[in-house]
Amino acid sequence: CMEGTRVEVLDKISAWVMDLDAKNIFWINGSPGAGKSAVAASLVRMLHDMCQLGSFYVLKRGHATLADPLAVWCTIVHDLVQTPPSSCHGQFHVNLQKKLLALLKDGGFDAGHRAVMAQFRDLVQGPFSGLELSGCPVVVIDALDEC
């Protein structure tokens, strides 16, 4: 966003990020051209500066990979298991990384499975369960309506 614009929505998102009791999804909707992608880009910069960015994924209609909903969770998990700067994500990242790597090593995930909900359950819901959410990285998905 341009400097000084969409301050109210960015402040709401910032408060949501810091509130560990808030719902785990912050949904921004609006008509085409309303600036949702600009907000997402500003959010990504803000989260990066706060050491809270876990992954940023943009869907794009007509693109072989970026329009494929099956690529979303694999890409996000890939981003989450990358080693962050030492000041980012703390123990949460270490624990999540251990769970995800164990899942992949033990063959607990079938990469050929073509069901998006199964991928979400196996790669996100399962590994995230039981983790302390303090310092939890935020995942931003833009243009969800493009797939």
Side-chain angles (χ1 to χ4, degrees), residues 13-14 16-25 43 46-48 50-55 76 80 84 87-97 124 127-140:
I13 295 169
S14 182
W16 169 78
V17 167
M18 303 308 282
D19 183 358
L20 295 179
D21 294 324
K23 295 196 182 273
N24 60 3
I25 295 176
L43 174 60
M46 178 180 78
L47 291 169
H48 181 269
M50 295 168 55
C51 282
Q52 291 278 156
L53 182 63
S55 182
I76 289 170
L80 289 171
S87 62
C88 293
H89 311 312
Q91 194 60 39
F92 175 87
H93 180 272
V94 172
N95 293 337
L96 177 62
Q97 188 179 51
V124 179
F128 272 73
S129 66
L131 290 179
E132 171 62 44
L133 294 181
S134 179
C136 178
V138 177
V139 173
V140 178

Side-chain angles (χ1 to χ4, degrees), residues 31-52:
S31 58
K36 299 178 300 293
S37 291
V39 169
S42 293
L43 174 60
V44 166
R45 279 192 304 277
M46 178 180 78
L47 291 169
H48 181 269
D49 292 347
M50 295 168 55
C51 282
Q52 291 278 156

Side-chain angles (χ1 to χ4, degrees), residues 65-92:
T65 304
L66 297 178
D68 183 1
L70 294 171
V72 173
W73 298 121
C74 290
T75 302
I76 289 170
V77 166
H78 175 269
D79 291 348
L80 289 171
V81 298
Q82 299 303 305
T83 304
S86 60
S87 62
C88 293
H89 311 312
Q91 194 60 39
F92 175 87

Side-chain angles (χ1 to χ4, degrees), residues 87-138:
S87 62
C88 293
H89 311 312
Q91 194 60 39
F92 175 87
H93 180 272
V94 172
N95 293 337
L96 177 62
Q97 188 179 51
K98 285 179 184 176
K99 282 185 157 190
L100 287 168
L101 292 175
L103 173 77
L104 296 174
K105 285 181 183 176
D106 295 341
F109 173 69
D110 177 8
H113 201 289
R114 303 303 295 170
V116 174
M117 286 306 298
Q119 281 192 356
F120 176 81
R121 183 188 62 243
D122 294 345
L123 294 174
V124 179
Q125 186 178 19
F128 272 73
S129 66
L131 290 179
E132 171 62 44
L133 294 181
S134 179
C136 178
V138 177

